[in-house]
Amino acid sequence: MRFVLTEDQRDFGGSLDALLSGADTVGAARAWAEGDTAPGLELWRRLAEQGVNALVVPEEHGGMGATAVELVVAFEALGRHGVPGPWVESAAYLPLALADADLLAALAEGAVGTVAEAAHAPYALDAEVADHVFSCTGTTLRTATRGERLRSVDRTRHLTTLVAGDPVPGADLGAALESAVLATSAQLLGCGERLLDDAVAYVKQRRQFGREIGSYQAIKHALADVRIALDFARPLVLGAALGEVPAAAAKVACADAAYLASRTALQVHGAVGYTQELDLSIWITKVRALVTAWGTPAQHRAALLETLVAAAGTPVEA
Amino acid sequence: MDLSLSESELAFQAEARAWLAANVPAEPLPSMDTEAGWKAHQEWEARLAEARWAVVSWPREYHGREASLVEWVVFEEEYYRAGAPGRVSQNGIFLLAPIIFDHGTREQQDRFLPSMATGEQVWAQCWSEPEAGSDLASLRSTARRDEARGGWVLNGQKTWSSRASFAHWGFGLFRSDPEAQRHAGLTYFLFPLDADGITVRPIAQLDGEAGFAEVFFEDVFVPDSDVLGAPGDGWRVAMSTAGNERGLSLRSPGRFCAAADRLVDLYRSTVADGATPAATETAPAHVVDAWLRAQSYRLYTWGTVTRLAAGGDMGTAGSVNKVFWSELDIALHETALDLLGADAEVESRWLDGYTFSLSGPIYAGTNEIQRNIVAERILGLPREPKGAGR
């Protein structure tokens, strides 16, 4: 029993954090929002070199065969730094959904893929930069072509409807969905941590009525509640990565915690937090988008309840 | 990173499960805050001790099994999953005993620990005072040195002392140096509640039972042999108790996981099976949230256990923990009452649990105090200037 990250896992997270801290991720996100995807794709390439795209691709197809724990470590870093691009789709969903060896190898190398999954993610993310576009309805995976462009609350997320084409042989679509939900949860967790960090830094220097606003109990308690919510969302992400609880549990908790973080960060910043100019806007809008991406909280709660009720009354073996 | 148990931990779990299955009373015991319930709970404690399940982590010579931290959490999970009674000895076992182990003399350990383990002597925490709630540093009850008799003379009043109505011994802090500022000059005392000069006045709680009491001290003599730790060092000694109370020891995840499982059962039997339309529209979401928060608490605890086992300490995690479990406990029970509809006001195990849960955010340092600790010591926010809000 050892429920903390291993040294290797911590080092992996640390190296991604260092890479992203040194890159201008905010600049890449702002450019992506304006339609210039070049800096973001350069970042994509560098992360691919670190193996992020290959994590859950099976080893026989050129992947790293890493566990879901490494996946959530990586996605927390992506969320914390506000990295744009269809990461959940390319690095968490498609590697488990596809059966085609060449495609899997291409994804592991860093090819950009995207997918629309009818029930949980009906619009394809960033299809304009994707080399491979799929749609999934029920239990069938198909190739797809781009349809209508939609505008997301998060300006770095370019959504399109898809027109489904021919069926392609799929692998484990259930596992792929679980992986996407888990990765989105971790991304939300990273966004929440970033929002809290920025809010804490701000209230320590912003003064009103003669002292730092962070010394007021009302501000302290609001931020303490965010710390507590994030601290208790994290074990569900790691627990889901180990198969201890469904990914849906992590998604519900992370969506709630990150949303609380975004509302609180906005509140303590006041009017300046409401501007696009401040970098905070990147995470505030991303959290709102990710709360419903890959399954709304209501969907995940309903699914969890169904599972729980079905299991209730039968003795649970530890 | 993994959550698997070792062979020996699995064997320990199986042994605990089997014993509990064979021994847990079929009917819930009456409330421990009544005379009959108290006696029944003491008997249960004796039975646990006899089978060495009362204090699994303690040394064998004091009725323990020398269980590891992991085994202790495993036992707690099994204990509550089996529907076993609440622990009448918990204040002694979980709050005082760790201090006796760390700060007590060998003589004190030999004298107090065995009878605590068997439930023969039940301890009450006498910390709060009428003018000092979470702000323990403002305690006013005094201890005056009596050199001639080799001890101290206690005067003052403690209040909100859980189980003091029936308990045998108390432990608490008294101001032994009136000149010293706030945290300094406090001493940690142990005293029999039937000592000359002590008056215990039970206080009825929300549920009408005398769950706690006021304790008055009028020239109560305590010999040096019943001082815990060094005189004047009571604050430091007490703070290690507070860490235990807020942290792992008092609120093990087993309680909440077991309650969440029962909540899911209640949901199934009331709503899912259509037995009653009483549930609110929000109840299903609340059932899920209570369940996943209990799971989160369980997993978080395993993280803490891992760090402690590796030589780390609780640090400020206890404050994060305390706010979370106390609010979870209320949410769990509120949801159950929602599901019960009009029957929610009728006496039931859920209602008892609900009433008890209401005290969670208040005791062991209010949640406001805990949030300040989280904000100042974890987030590094500036302290409120002296005099603010007065």
Side-chain angles (χ1 to χ4, degrees), chain A residues 1-3 6 204 211 217 220-221 225 232 244 301 312-313 317, chain B residues 2 4 17 265 268 289 296 298-299 306 368 371-372 376 380 382 385:
Chain A
M1 204 294 300
R2 201 175 171 284
F3 194 59
T6 64
K204 281 186 194 174
R211 54 184 167 114
Q217 189 164 265
K220 280 182 183 161
H221 286 193
D225 280 336
F232 282 92
E244 194 67 18
R301 283 190 170 98
E317 291 302 316
Chain B
D2 76 279
S4 56
R17 189 176 294 179
D265 277 342
R268 193 180 60 159
D289 285 351
S296 166
R298 176 175 75 90
L299 293 163
T306 305
E368 286 73 21
R371 287 187 170 95
N372 284 351
E376 290 170 10

PDB file of all heavy atoms in Angstrom, chain A residues 1-3 6 204 211 217 220-221 225 232 244 301 312-313 317, chain B residues 2 4 17 265 268 289 296 298-299 306 368 371-372 376 380 382 385:
ATOM      1  N   MET A   1       0.850  -1.202   0.000  1.00  0.00           N
ATOM      2  CA  MET A   1       0.000   0.000   0.000  1.00  0.00           C
ATOM      3  C   MET A   1       0.880   1.244   0.000  1.00  0.00           C
ATOM      4  O   MET A   1       1.599   1.492   0.946  1.00  0.00           O
ATOM      5  CB  MET A   1      -0.894  -0.025   1.240  1.00  0.00           C
ATOM      6  CG  MET A   1      -2.169   0.764   1.116  1.00  0.00           C
ATOM      7  SD  MET A   1      -1.933   2.535   0.960  1.00  0.00           S
ATOM      8  CE  MET A   1      -1.067   2.874   2.495  1.00  0.00           C
ATOM      9  N   ARG A   2       0.810   1.993  -1.065  1.00  0.00           N
ATOM     10  CA  ARG A   2       1.631   3.194  -1.154  1.00  0.00           C
ATOM     11  C   ARG A   2       0.895   4.165  -2.056  1.00  0.00           C
ATOM     12  O   ARG A   2       1.064   4.180  -3.265  1.00  0.00           O
ATOM     13  CB  ARG A   2       3.002   2.828  -1.749  1.00  0.00           C
ATOM     14  CG  ARG A   2       4.045   3.853  -1.412  1.00  0.00           C
ATOM     15  CD  ARG A   2       5.437   3.460  -1.878  1.00  0.00           C
ATOM     16  NE  ARG A   2       6.327   4.576  -1.709  1.00  0.00           N
ATOM     17  CZ  ARG A   2       6.350   5.630  -2.517  1.00  0.00           C
ATOM     18  NH1 ARG A   2       5.564   5.690  -3.557  1.00  0.00           N
ATOM     19  NH2 ARG A   2       7.177   6.637  -2.272  1.00  0.00           N
ATOM     20  N   PHE A   3       0.043   5.010  -1.441  1.00  0.00           N
ATOM     21  CA  PHE A   3      -0.832   5.867  -2.235  1.00  0.00           C
ATOM     22  C   PHE A   3      -0.238   7.274  -2.398  1.00  0.00           C
ATOM     23  O   PHE A   3      -0.840   8.268  -2.022  1.00  0.00           O
ATOM     24  CB  PHE A   3      -2.233   5.910  -1.602  1.00  0.00           C
ATOM     25  CG  PHE A   3      -3.280   6.495  -2.507  1.00  0.00           C
ATOM     26  CD1 PHE A   3      -3.548   5.919  -3.738  1.00  0.00           C
ATOM     27  CD2 PHE A   3      -4.004   7.608  -2.119  1.00  0.00           C
ATOM     28  CE1 PHE A   3      -4.507   6.452  -4.583  1.00  0.00           C
ATOM     29  CE2 PHE A   3      -4.971   8.155  -2.958  1.00  0.00           C
ATOM     30  CZ  PHE A   3      -5.227   7.574  -4.189  1.00  0.00           C
ATOM     31  N   THR A   6       5.136   7.720  -7.299  1.00  0.00           N
ATOM     32  CA  THR A   6       6.502   7.225  -7.183  1.00  0.00           C
ATOM     33  C   THR A   6       7.470   8.355  -7.565  1.00  0.00           C
ATOM     34  O   THR A   6       7.060   9.361  -8.142  1.00  0.00           O
ATOM     35  CB  THR A   6       6.758   6.039  -8.125  1.00  0.00           C
ATOM     36  OG1 THR A   6       6.625   6.525  -9.475  1.00  0.00           O
ATOM     37  CG2 THR A   6       5.773   4.902  -7.894  1.00  0.00           C
ATOM     38  N   LYS A 204      -2.163  38.557  -1.869  1.00  0.00           N
ATOM     39  CA  LYS A 204      -1.038  38.899  -0.983  1.00  0.00           C
ATOM     40  C   LYS A 204      -0.478  40.282  -1.315  1.00  0.00           C
ATOM     41  O   LYS A 204       0.146  40.907  -0.465  1.00  0.00           O
ATOM     42  CB  LYS A 204       0.087  37.867  -1.130  1.00  0.00           C
ATOM     43  CG  LYS A 204      -0.152  36.583  -0.376  1.00  0.00           C
ATOM     44  CD  LYS A 204       1.103  35.723  -0.501  1.00  0.00           C
ATOM     45  CE  LYS A 204       0.833  34.312  -0.072  1.00  0.00           C
ATOM     46  NZ  LYS A 204       1.998  33.454  -0.338  1.00  0.00           N
ATOM     47  N   ARG A 211      -4.638  47.457   4.085  1.00  0.00           N
ATOM     48  CA  ARG A 211      -3.873  46.212   4.262  1.00  0.00           C
ATOM     49  C   ARG A 211      -4.140  45.227   3.120  1.00  0.00           C
ATOM     50  O   ARG A 211      -5.089  45.403   2.348  1.00  0.00           O
ATOM     51  CB  ARG A 211      -4.185  45.574   5.616  1.00  0.00           C
ATOM     52  CG  ARG A 211      -5.651  45.326   5.904  1.00  0.00           C
ATOM     53  CD  ARG A 211      -5.784  44.780   7.337  1.00  0.00           C
ATOM     54  NE  ARG A 211      -7.133  44.773   7.836  1.00  0.00           N
ATOM     55  CZ  ARG A 211      -7.824  43.662   8.125  1.00  0.00           C
ATOM     56  NH1 ARG A 211      -7.308  42.486   7.906  1.00  0.00           N
ATOM     57  NH2 ARG A 211      -9.053  43.748   8.606  1.00  0.00           N
ATOM     58  N   GLN A 217     -10.514  37.824   6.722  1.00  0.00           N
ATOM     59  CA  GLN A 217     -10.984  36.446   6.911  1.00  0.00           C
ATOM     60  C   GLN A 217     -11.918  35.984   5.788  1.00  0.00           C
ATOM     61  O   GLN A 217     -11.889  34.821   5.396  1.00  0.00           O
ATOM     62  CB  GLN A 217     -11.672  36.310   8.271  1.00  0.00           C
ATOM     63  CG  GLN A 217     -11.976  34.871   8.623  1.00  0.00           C
ATOM     64  CD  GLN A 217     -12.282  34.683  10.102  1.00  0.00           C
ATOM     65  OE1 GLN A 217     -11.430  34.340  10.906  1.00  0.00           O
ATOM     66  NE2 GLN A 217     -13.516  34.921  10.457  1.00  0.00           N
ATOM     67  N   LYS A 220      -9.748  34.791   3.112  1.00  0.00           N
ATOM     68  CA  LYS A 220      -9.046  33.576   3.543  1.00  0.00           C
ATOM     69  C   LYS A 220      -9.937  32.347   3.465  1.00  0.00           C
ATOM     70  O   LYS A 220      -9.524  31.289   2.997  1.00  0.00           O
ATOM     71  CB  LYS A 220      -8.595  33.733   4.998  1.00  0.00           C
ATOM     72  CG  LYS A 220      -7.349  34.527   5.166  1.00  0.00           C
ATOM     73  CD  LYS A 220      -6.991  34.547   6.634  1.00  0.00           C
ATOM     74  CE  LYS A 220      -5.780  35.413   6.833  1.00  0.00           C
ATOM     75  NZ  LYS A 220      -5.645  35.846   8.206  1.00  0.00           N
ATOM     76  N   HIS A 221     -11.150  32.505   3.965  1.00  0.00           N
ATOM     77  CA  HIS A 221     -12.020  31.333   4.015  1.00  0.00           C
ATOM     78  C   HIS A 221     -12.416  30.881   2.611  1.00  0.00           C
ATOM     79  O   HIS A 221     -12.509  29.676   2.339  1.00  0.00           O
ATOM     80  CB  HIS A 221     -13.247  31.631   4.874  1.00  0.00           C
ATOM     81  CG  HIS A 221     -12.909  31.647   6.341  1.00  0.00           C
ATOM     82  ND1 HIS A 221     -13.855  31.639   7.320  1.00  0.00           N
ATOM     83  CD2 HIS A 221     -11.713  31.647   6.965  1.00  0.00           C
ATOM     84  CE1 HIS A 221     -13.253  31.647   8.507  1.00  0.00           C
ATOM     85  NE2 HIS A 221     -11.951  31.654   8.314  1.00  0.00           N
ATOM     86  N   ASP A 225     -11.402  27.180   1.200  1.00  0.00           N
ATOM     87  CA  ASP A 225     -12.369  26.223   0.655  1.00  0.00           C
ATOM     88  C   ASP A 225     -11.918  25.683  -0.704  1.00  0.00           C
ATOM     89  O   ASP A 225     -12.154  24.517  -1.023  1.00  0.00           O
ATOM     90  CB  ASP A 225     -13.756  26.864   0.545  1.00  0.00           C
ATOM     91  CG  ASP A 225     -14.474  26.882   1.890  1.00  0.00           C
ATOM     92  OD1 ASP A 225     -14.137  26.041   2.754  1.00  0.00           O
ATOM     93  OD2 ASP A 225     -15.364  27.723   2.088  1.00  0.00           O
ATOM     94  N   PHE A 232      -9.201  17.321  -2.017  1.00  0.00           N
ATOM     95  CA  PHE A 232     -10.030  16.119  -1.967  1.00  0.00           C
ATOM     96  C   PHE A 232     -10.527  15.677  -3.341  1.00  0.00           C
ATOM     97  O   PHE A 232     -11.147  14.630  -3.463  1.00  0.00           O
ATOM     98  CB  PHE A 232     -11.180  16.295  -0.966  1.00  0.00           C
ATOM     99  CG  PHE A 232     -10.704  16.114   0.452  1.00  0.00           C
ATOM    100  CD1 PHE A 232     -10.279  17.191   1.204  1.00  0.00           C
ATOM    101  CD2 PHE A 232     -10.618  14.841   0.998  1.00  0.00           C
ATOM    102  CE1 PHE A 232      -9.796  17.021   2.491  1.00  0.00           C
ATOM    103  CE2 PHE A 232     -10.135  14.656   2.289  1.00  0.00           C
ATOM    104  CZ  PHE A 232      -9.724  15.749   3.043  1.00  0.00           C
ATOM    105  N   GLU A 244      -9.711   2.270  -8.786  1.00  0.00           N
ATOM    106  CA  GLU A 244     -10.335   2.116  -7.478  1.00  0.00           C
ATOM    107  C   GLU A 244     -11.755   2.689  -7.468  1.00  0.00           C
ATOM    108  O   GLU A 244     -12.625   2.191  -6.757  1.00  0.00           O
ATOM    109  CB  GLU A 244      -9.438   2.841  -6.475  1.00  0.00           C
ATOM    110  CG  GLU A 244      -9.670   2.587  -5.030  1.00  0.00           C
ATOM    111  CD  GLU A 244      -9.334   1.174  -4.589  1.00  0.00           C
ATOM    112  OE1 GLU A 244      -8.600   0.436  -5.281  1.00  0.00           O
ATOM    113  OE2 GLU A 244      -9.828   0.819  -3.526  1.00  0.00           O
ATOM    114  N   ARG A 301     -22.968  11.981 -12.731  1.00  0.00           N
ATOM    115  CA  ARG A 301     -23.651  11.629 -11.475  1.00  0.00           C
ATOM    116  C   ARG A 301     -24.695  10.538 -11.734  1.00  0.00           C
ATOM    117  O   ARG A 301     -24.819   9.592 -10.951  1.00  0.00           O
ATOM    118  CB  ARG A 301     -24.320  12.865 -10.867  1.00  0.00           C
ATOM    119  CG  ARG A 301     -23.346  13.796 -10.174  1.00  0.00           C
ATOM    120  CD  ARG A 301     -24.079  14.881  -9.378  1.00  0.00           C
ATOM    121  NE  ARG A 301     -23.153  15.607  -8.533  1.00  0.00           N
ATOM    122  CZ  ARG A 301     -22.603  16.787  -8.845  1.00  0.00           C
ATOM    123  NH1 ARG A 301     -22.904  17.379  -9.985  1.00  0.00           N
ATOM    124  NH2 ARG A 301     -21.763  17.369  -8.009  1.00  0.00           N
ATOM    125  N   ALA A 312     -25.550  -1.933  -4.772  1.00  0.00           N
ATOM    126  CA  ALA A 312     -26.007  -1.864  -3.383  1.00  0.00           C
ATOM    127  C   ALA A 312     -26.687  -3.161  -2.977  1.00  0.00           C
ATOM    128  O   ALA A 312     -27.359  -3.799  -3.769  1.00  0.00           O
ATOM    129  CB  ALA A 312     -26.963  -0.692  -3.199  1.00  0.00           C
ATOM    130  N   GLY A 313     -26.501  -3.513  -1.742  1.00  0.00           N
ATOM    131  CA  GLY A 313     -27.152  -4.715  -1.244  1.00  0.00           C
ATOM    132  C   GLY A 313     -26.341  -5.964  -1.488  1.00  0.00           C
ATOM    133  O   GLY A 313     -26.509  -6.960  -0.806  1.00  0.00           O
ATOM    134  N   GLU A 317     -16.649  -6.596  -1.622  1.00  0.00           N
ATOM    135  CA  GLU A 317     -15.372  -7.149  -1.178  1.00  0.00           C
ATOM    136  C   GLU A 317     -14.297  -6.086  -1.327  1.00  0.00           C
ATOM    137  O   GLU A 317     -14.213  -5.424  -2.340  1.00  0.00           O
ATOM    138  CB  GLU A 317     -15.003  -8.376  -2.010  1.00  0.00           C
ATOM    139  CG  GLU A 317     -15.896  -9.579  -1.769  1.00  0.00           C
ATOM    140  CD  GLU A 317     -15.912 -10.016  -0.307  1.00  0.00           C
ATOM    141  OE1 GLU A 317     -14.829 -10.070   0.302  1.00  0.00           O
ATOM    142  OE2 GLU A 317     -16.997 -10.298   0.219  1.00  0.00           O
TER     143      GLU A 317
ATOM    144  N   ASP B   2       0.273   2.227  -5.450  1.00  0.00           N
ATOM    145  CA  ASP B   2      -0.734   1.170  -5.445  1.00  0.00           C
ATOM    146  C   ASP B   2      -1.485   1.133  -4.122  1.00  0.00           C
ATOM    147  O   ASP B   2      -1.024   1.685  -3.124  1.00  0.00           O
ATOM    148  CB  ASP B   2      -0.089  -0.194  -5.706  1.00  0.00           C
ATOM    149  CG  ASP B   2       0.644  -0.717  -4.491  1.00  0.00           C
ATOM    150  OD1 ASP B   2       1.791  -0.294  -4.263  1.00  0.00           O
ATOM    151  OD2 ASP B   2       0.054  -1.520  -3.752  1.00  0.00           O
ATOM    152  N   SER B   4      -2.766  -1.864  -2.896  1.00  0.00           N
ATOM    153  CA  SER B   4      -2.950  -3.270  -2.524  1.00  0.00           C
ATOM    154  C   SER B   4      -2.389  -3.531  -1.127  1.00  0.00           C
ATOM    155  O   SER B   4      -1.435  -2.891  -0.690  1.00  0.00           O
ATOM    156  CB  SER B   4      -2.247  -4.161  -3.548  1.00  0.00           C
ATOM    157  OG  SER B   4      -0.893  -3.788  -3.630  1.00  0.00           O
ATOM    158  N   ARG B  17     -12.435  -9.120  10.246  1.00  0.00           N
ATOM    159  CA  ARG B  17     -13.762  -9.260   9.639  1.00  0.00           C
ATOM    160  C   ARG B  17     -14.515 -10.437  10.259  1.00  0.00           C
ATOM    161  O   ARG B  17     -15.700 -10.328  10.567  1.00  0.00           O
ATOM    162  CB  ARG B  17     -13.614  -9.436   8.122  1.00  0.00           C
ATOM    163  CG  ARG B  17     -14.909  -9.379   7.375  1.00  0.00           C
ATOM    164  CD  ARG B  17     -14.685  -9.466   5.885  1.00  0.00           C
ATOM    165  NE  ARG B  17     -13.973  -8.283   5.375  1.00  0.00           N
ATOM    166  CZ  ARG B  17     -13.635  -8.127   4.098  1.00  0.00           C
ATOM    167  NH1 ARG B  17     -13.931  -9.058   3.210  1.00  0.00           N
ATOM    168  NH2 ARG B  17     -13.002  -7.048   3.711  1.00  0.00           N
ATOM    169  N   ASP B 265     -28.026   2.321   0.024  1.00  0.00           N
ATOM    170  CA  ASP B 265     -29.076   1.327   0.307  1.00  0.00           C
ATOM    171  C   ASP B 265     -30.416   2.010   0.575  1.00  0.00           C
ATOM    172  O   ASP B 265     -31.460   1.569   0.106  1.00  0.00           O
ATOM    173  CB  ASP B 265     -28.700   0.487   1.534  1.00  0.00           C
ATOM    174  CG  ASP B 265     -27.763  -0.656   1.171  1.00  0.00           C
ATOM    175  OD1 ASP B 265     -27.697  -1.002  -0.034  1.00  0.00           O
ATOM    176  OD2 ASP B 265     -27.094  -1.190   2.074  1.00  0.00           O
ATOM    177  N   ARG B 268     -31.855   3.249  -2.601  1.00  0.00           N
ATOM    178  CA  ARG B 268     -32.435   2.161  -3.391  1.00  0.00           C
ATOM    179  C   ARG B 268     -33.782   1.733  -2.812  1.00  0.00           C
ATOM    180  O   ARG B 268     -34.751   1.550  -3.538  1.00  0.00           O
ATOM    181  CB  ARG B 268     -31.488   0.964  -3.453  1.00  0.00           C
ATOM    182  CG  ARG B 268     -31.918  -0.036  -4.510  1.00  0.00           C
ATOM    183  CD  ARG B 268     -30.988  -1.201  -4.575  1.00  0.00           C
ATOM    184  NE  ARG B 268     -30.938  -1.891  -3.295  1.00  0.00           N
ATOM    185  CZ  ARG B 268     -30.540  -3.136  -3.149  1.00  0.00           C
ATOM    186  NH1 ARG B 268     -30.137  -3.809  -4.199  1.00  0.00           N
ATOM    187  NH2 ARG B 268     -30.508  -3.697  -1.973  1.00  0.00           N
ATOM    188  N   ASP B 289     -22.863  12.501  -4.507  1.00  0.00           N
ATOM    189  CA  ASP B 289     -21.812  13.358  -3.969  1.00  0.00           C
ATOM    190  C   ASP B 289     -21.334  12.860  -2.605  1.00  0.00           C
ATOM    191  O   ASP B 289     -20.135  12.878  -2.320  1.00  0.00           O
ATOM    192  CB  ASP B 289     -22.291  14.806  -3.869  1.00  0.00           C
ATOM    193  CG  ASP B 289     -22.346  15.471  -5.239  1.00  0.00           C
ATOM    194  OD1 ASP B 289     -21.853  14.853  -6.207  1.00  0.00           O
ATOM    195  OD2 ASP B 289     -22.875  16.578  -5.352  1.00  0.00           O
ATOM    196  N   SER B 296     -13.371   9.800  -1.573  1.00  0.00           N
ATOM    197  CA  SER B 296     -12.247  10.721  -1.628  1.00  0.00           C
ATOM    198  C   SER B 296     -11.546  10.786  -0.273  1.00  0.00           C
ATOM    199  O   SER B 296     -10.314  10.782  -0.193  1.00  0.00           O
ATOM    200  CB  SER B 296     -12.764  12.106  -2.038  1.00  0.00           C
ATOM    201  OG  SER B 296     -11.783  13.069  -1.797  1.00  0.00           O
ATOM    202  N   ARG B 298     -11.515   8.482   2.012  1.00  0.00           N
ATOM    203  CA  ARG B 298     -10.802   7.217   2.215  1.00  0.00           C
ATOM    204  C   ARG B 298      -9.444   7.245   1.490  1.00  0.00           C
ATOM    205  O   ARG B 298      -8.401   6.929   2.070  1.00  0.00           O
ATOM    206  CB  ARG B 298     -11.657   6.055   1.672  1.00  0.00           C
ATOM    207  CG  ARG B 298     -10.997   4.700   1.739  1.00  0.00           C
ATOM    208  CD  ARG B 298     -11.956   3.600   1.299  1.00  0.00           C
ATOM    209  NE  ARG B 298     -12.151   3.560  -0.147  1.00  0.00           N
ATOM    210  CZ  ARG B 298     -11.406   2.845  -0.995  1.00  0.00           C
ATOM    211  NH1 ARG B 298     -10.425   2.097  -0.528  1.00  0.00           N
ATOM    212  NH2 ARG B 298     -11.650   2.862  -2.276  1.00  0.00           N
ATOM    213  N   LEU B 299      -9.480   7.656   0.229  1.00  0.00           N
ATOM    214  CA  LEU B 299      -8.243   7.669  -0.553  1.00  0.00           C
ATOM    215  C   LEU B 299      -7.260   8.706  -0.018  1.00  0.00           C
ATOM    216  O   LEU B 299      -6.050   8.464   0.054  1.00  0.00           O
ATOM    217  CB  LEU B 299      -8.566   7.936  -2.030  1.00  0.00           C
ATOM    218  CG  LEU B 299      -9.355   6.802  -2.706  1.00  0.00           C
ATOM    219  CD1 LEU B 299      -9.995   7.281  -4.013  1.00  0.00           C
ATOM    220  CD2 LEU B 299      -8.450   5.606  -2.975  1.00  0.00           C
ATOM    221  N   THR B 306       0.374   6.822   3.962  1.00  0.00           N
ATOM    222  CA  THR B 306       1.626   6.558   3.259  1.00  0.00           C
ATOM    223  C   THR B 306       2.716   7.522   3.714  1.00  0.00           C
ATOM    224  O   THR B 306       3.846   7.123   3.980  1.00  0.00           O
ATOM    225  CB  THR B 306       1.434   6.700   1.732  1.00  0.00           C
ATOM    226  OG1 THR B 306       0.372   5.854   1.320  1.00  0.00           O
ATOM    227  CG2 THR B 306       2.705   6.326   0.985  1.00  0.00           C
ATOM    228  N   GLU B 368     -14.090  27.580  11.278  1.00  0.00           N
ATOM    229  CA  GLU B 368     -13.549  28.912  10.960  1.00  0.00           C
ATOM    230  C   GLU B 368     -12.062  28.968  11.325  1.00  0.00           C
ATOM    231  O   GLU B 368     -11.243  29.488  10.564  1.00  0.00           O
ATOM    232  CB  GLU B 368     -14.318  29.999  11.724  1.00  0.00           C
ATOM    233  CG  GLU B 368     -15.712  30.287  11.175  1.00  0.00           C
ATOM    234  CD  GLU B 368     -16.716  29.185  11.467  1.00  0.00           C
ATOM    235  OE1 GLU B 368     -16.477  28.391  12.406  1.00  0.00           O
ATOM    236  OE2 GLU B 368     -17.736  29.103  10.757  1.00  0.00           O
ATOM    237  N   ARG B 371     -10.126  26.932   8.807  1.00  0.00           N
ATOM    238  CA  ARG B 371      -9.936  27.627   7.521  1.00  0.00           C
ATOM    239  C   ARG B 371      -8.854  28.704   7.645  1.00  0.00           C
ATOM    240  O   ARG B 371      -8.102  28.938   6.693  1.00  0.00           O
ATOM    241  CB  ARG B 371     -11.260  28.235   7.047  1.00  0.00           C
ATOM    242  CG  ARG B 371     -12.243  27.199   6.538  1.00  0.00           C
ATOM    243  CD  ARG B 371     -13.482  27.863   5.927  1.00  0.00           C
ATOM    244  NE  ARG B 371     -14.300  26.891   5.230  1.00  0.00           N
ATOM    245  CZ  ARG B 371     -15.341  26.260   5.767  1.00  0.00           C
ATOM    246  NH1 ARG B 371     -15.701  26.521   7.014  1.00  0.00           N
ATOM    247  NH2 ARG B 371     -16.022  25.372   5.072  1.00  0.00           N
ATOM    248  N   ASN B 372      -8.800  29.348   8.798  1.00  0.00           N
ATOM    249  CA  ASN B 372      -7.713  30.319   8.996  1.00  0.00           C
ATOM    250  C   ASN B 372      -6.362  29.617   8.938  1.00  0.00           C
ATOM    251  O   ASN B 372      -5.406  30.133   8.360  1.00  0.00           O
ATOM    252  CB  ASN B 372      -7.851  31.019  10.357  1.00  0.00           C
ATOM    253  CG  ASN B 372      -8.950  32.072  10.348  1.00  0.00           C
ATOM    254  OD1 ASN B 372      -9.503  32.396   9.299  1.00  0.00           O
ATOM    255  ND2 ASN B 372      -9.272  32.594  11.519  1.00  0.00           N
ATOM    256  N   GLU B 376      -3.527  30.535   6.329  1.00  0.00           N
ATOM    257  CA  GLU B 376      -2.276  31.147   6.770  1.00  0.00           C
ATOM    258  C   GLU B 376      -1.084  30.194   6.649  1.00  0.00           C
ATOM    259  O   GLU B 376      -0.009  30.593   6.208  1.00  0.00           O
ATOM    260  CB  GLU B 376      -2.411  31.651   8.219  1.00  0.00           C
ATOM    261  CG  GLU B 376      -3.346  32.867   8.294  1.00  0.00           C
ATOM    262  CD  GLU B 376      -3.706  33.265   9.716  1.00  0.00           C
ATOM    263  OE1 GLU B 376      -3.099  32.736  10.669  1.00  0.00           O
ATOM    264  OE2 GLU B 376      -4.621  34.104   9.873  1.00  0.00           O
ATOM    265  N   GLY B 380      -0.258  30.502   2.911  1.00  0.00           N
ATOM    266  CA  GLY B 380       0.702  31.563   3.212  1.00  0.00           C
ATOM    267  C   GLY B 380       0.107  32.961   3.196  1.00  0.00           C
ATOM    268  O   GLY B 380       0.821  33.936   2.935  1.00  0.00           O
ATOM    269  N   PRO B 382      -1.431  36.469   4.721  1.00  0.00           N
ATOM    270  CA  PRO B 382      -1.016  37.231   5.908  1.00  0.00           C
ATOM    271  C   PRO B 382      -2.010  37.087   7.060  1.00  0.00           C
ATOM    272  O   PRO B 382      -3.208  36.914   6.823  1.00  0.00           O
ATOM    273  CB  PRO B 382      -0.982  38.687   5.417  1.00  0.00           C
ATOM    274  CG  PRO B 382      -1.589  38.710   4.081  1.00  0.00           C
ATOM    275  CD  PRO B 382      -1.725  37.324   3.568  1.00  0.00           C
ATOM    276  N   PRO B 385      -4.491  41.543  11.148  1.00  0.00           N
ATOM    277  CA  PRO B 385      -3.788  42.410  12.107  1.00  0.00           C
ATOM    278  C   PRO B 385      -4.438  42.323  13.484  1.00  0.00           C
ATOM    279  O   PRO B 385      -5.643  42.089  13.583  1.00  0.00           O
ATOM    280  CB  PRO B 385      -3.980  43.818  11.526  1.00  0.00           C
ATOM    281  CG  PRO B 385      -4.468  43.635  10.148  1.00  0.00           C
ATOM    282  CD  PRO B 385      -5.089  42.286  10.055  1.00  0.00           C
TER     283      PRO B 385
END
